[in-house]
Amino acid sequence: MTSLTAVVAKDLRLAWRNRAAWLSAMAFSTIAVLTYSFAFDLATGDVRPLLPGVLWTTFLFAGVFAAGQSFQEEVDDGTFDALLFSPVGATTIFLGKLTANLIALLIIECSQLVLATILFDVGLLTPELLGIVVIGTVGYVSLTTLLATMGGHVRGRSVLLPVLSLPLLVPLLIGAVRATGASLGLEAGTAPWMLLLLVFAIWSTLAAVLLFPIAAEQ
Amino acid sequence: MTASPPDVPIALEATALTRKYGGVTVVRDVDLALPAGSKTALLGSNGAGKTTLLKMLSRLLTPTSGSFRIDGHPGPSPEAARAVGVLGHSPMLYEDFTPLENLRFFARIYDVADADARIEEILRQVGLWLRRHEPTAIFSRGYHQRLALARALIHDPAVLLADEPETGLDPEGVALLDEIALARPALTVLAATHRIDHIGAWASGIVRLERGRLVEDTSSVGLATEGTPA
């Protein structure tokens, strides 16, 4: 547990010190939400059917863009090797990085939910929707963190991550968009889509925990 | 392979260590038994398998076959990891952290007791105590290597694995490396090097690899003639 908190604290401190990638993700998502708000006619139309797509494309691209950066710096500086030969197990390294990425990304996502609530005049800060965002984010951050590890030593890795991750994330996107729509009252009941999201999040986290030691070896 | 003196414990032992990449065998059936406190130079031309051997012993690569023990612990165990310090080509430091922050993090993951005192001691030894609050990114290559040495020794390991540790160091830095690492009596050292002229200053024996095979091993000879280290 001490090792896990040490790795999380280190990753969060590094993310803060070298915050260009996360600030870029924040700027990108803010511009995306702002642009969508200009595009929709808020006075006459119901924007709720569009909001799930707006939110999840914004979250997903911000996450894919930023999640790989923290891992890449570790590989380039050789510190990832220093973690691998330390007594900290590969699973702890993965869980630490996953937690740090998750915290950073949830901060961005919550800020965008606040912004979208103001711009679209729709109540988005409900416990149900926050739960959907957290579960969905766990699902895609664990997968993108694993894929970033696998591509860490490969040329063209910045292109590889979105190309590999986006097809794998299709089930999560479907579940997240439909669950968000249901929580906004667009269809009856969030339960089936929440279940899909939950199963995906558990599957991707377990698969990533099991595969990370193999992916981490040079 | 040379037999070690019977009364000296073995700090690093490898048995038939082999690593293949695809169909190519890079390290083949290497047996090692380095007595505690011995200082061994790992020699061989480029591509002989030195770095691959060191990576296996530091757990960065899984051996295709064979096994090893560090300070009596099986290679893959956390106890073995705690007994090893690694000094590589790259300093393996967080550039956005200060020396103090770097060492605090590594002290924490190695469970170093009385970490603050140990950090001060090692930073004074490598001559970086007065620069402990400066970002590591602004340091010269030599200072990076000094801090890397502090990182490798922060947990007071029984075995130091080093891959060309003199790289980037000025003469003063090389002297420091000799003083606080290579010549430390209780520390077992296995260091790959191309500086054959400098081996006499610290090594008690050599291990030579050729095309992945162990062709010469005098790692125990120095201790046999010089006696057990203090």
Side-chain angles (χ1 to χ4, degrees):
Chain A
M1 203 60 192
T2 311
S3 301
L4 181 62
T5 51
V7 174
V8 172
K10 178 265 298 175
D11 277 333
L12 285 175
R13 184 176 285 199
L14 280 177
W16 178 248
R17 289 278 165 82
N18 195 359
R19 49 193 173 267
W22 291 103
L23 284 179
S24 302
M26 177 74 98
F28 162 80
S29 51
T30 304
I31 289 167
V33 172
L34 270 173
T35 308
Y36 283 124
S37 77
F38 298 147
F40 304 147
D41 186 354
L42 301 175
T44 56
D46 181 7
V47 293
R48 285 181 308 153
L50 301 166
L51 276 179
V54 169
L55 293 175
W56 281 100
T57 47
T58 305
F59 293 167
L60 194 71
F61 283 113
V64 168
F65 181 71
Q69 297 290 323
S70 63
F71 181 79
Q72 201 47 57
E73 278 157 24
E74 292 254 19
V75 171
D76 291 344
D77 290 344
T79 46
F80 189 60
D81 284 351
L83 287 176
L84 286 177
F85 58 64
S86 76
V88 177
T91 304
T92 307
I93 299 171
F94 173 76
L95 290 176
K97 206 155 270 302
L98 173 70
T99 309
N101 281 343
L102 198 60
I103 291 169
L105 208 50
L106 283 173
I107 290 170
I108 292 178
E109 290 174 345
C110 286
S111 70
Q112 297 315 309
L113 284 177
V114 172
L115 184 66
T117 299
I118 296 165
L119 292 175
F120 295 106
D121 196 23
V122 176
L124 296 172
L125 296 167
T126 62
E128 190 178 42
L129 189 53
L130 289 174
I132 292 166
V133 169
V134 170
I135 296 169
T137 307
V138 169
Y140 84 79
V141 170
S142 55
L143 202 64
T144 49
T145 305
L146 175 70
L147 292 173
T149 314
M150 290 168 76
H153 297 280
V154 177
R155 210 158 39 140
R157 54 212 167 210
S158 54
V159 179
L160 201 66
L161 182 60
V163 168
L164 283 178
S165 61
L166 292 179
L168 289 171
L169 290 170
V170 167
L172 176 129
L173 268 180
I174 294 170
V177 167
R178 298 302 291 267
T180 304
S183 82
L184 293 173
L186 299 173
E187 54 185 284
T190 55
W193 301 113
M194 280 286 271
L195 186 65
L196 174 64
L197 261 188
L198 201 62
V199 168
F200 189 94
I202 292 170
W203 167 80
S204 63
T205 308
L206 275 180
V209 165
L210 292 173
L211 291 174
F212 186 79
I214 301 166
E217 187 176 309
Q218 290 173 14
Chain B
M1 202 174 80
T2 330
S4 61
D7 53 338
V8 179
I10 300 299
L12 192 161
E13 185 176 19
T15 309
L17 215 51
T18 299
R19 174 70 194 198
K20 294 179 182 176
Y21 288 104
V24 181
T25 305
V26 181
V27 172
R28 187 189 298 268
D29 289 329
V30 168
D31 292 323
L32 282 176
L34 306 188
S38 63
K39 315 284 184 255
T40 305
L42 178 58
L43 305 177
S45 52
N46 291 332
K50 303 187 296 294
T51 299
T52 302
L53 177 63
L54 289 174
K55 281 186 173 180
M56 281 192 284
L57 295 172
S58 58
R59 310 196 314 163
L60 287 178
L61 284 176
T62 307
T64 307
S65 62
S67 62
F68 64 99
R69 297 178 77 83
I70 307 272
D71 206 24
H73 305 290
S77 66
E79 290 78 17
R82 275 195 188 86
V84 173
V86 180
L87 196 55
H89 285 292
S90 151
M92 296 182 260
L93 297 164
Y94 293 99
E95 296 289 322
D96 293 317
F97 280 0
T98 64
L100 205 55
E101 289 169 330
N102 264 296
L103 294 187
R104 272 189 187 146
F105 170 66
F106 286 106
R108 209 168 157 198
I109 62 174
Y110 279 93
D111 281 331
V112 175
D114 200 5
D116 286 343
R118 175 66 184 147
I119 290 167
E120 181 175 348
E121 180 193 15
I122 197 90
L123 278 177
R124 285 191 189 282
Q125 282 181 346
V126 299
L128 289 175
W129 176 247
L130 294 176
R131 305 192 67 174
R132 63 190 181 280
H133 295 303
E134 295 177 19
T136 303
I138 67 167
F139 283 180
S140 66
R141 165 77 189 162
Y143 275 20
H144 269 95
Q145 203 61 359
R146 287 179 185 218
L147 187 54
L149 186 59
R151 173 195 48 73
L153 298 176
I154 185 73
H155 54 296
D156 199 15
V159 175
L160 177 70
L161 302 172
D163 198 354
E164 298 181 37
E166 308 98 341
T167 307
L169 287 176
D170 55 16
E172 191 191 342
V174 172
L176 197 71
L177 177 73
D178 289 352
E179 183 189 327
I180 70 170
L182 300 180
R184 207 178 210 177
L187 186 66
T188 305
V189 176
L190 178 62
T193 182
H194 287 290
R195 286 197 54 187
I196 296 173
D197 59 314
H198 185 60
I199 290 172
W202 61 272
S204 56
I206 64 164
V207 164
R208 190 185 300 276
L209 291 178
E210 268 180 27
R211 292 183 200 168
R213 287 182 187 278
L214 188 68
V215 293
E216 186 179 1
D217 181 359
T218 64
S219 56
S220 309
V221 172
L223 284 179
T225 53
E226 292 162 17
T228 310

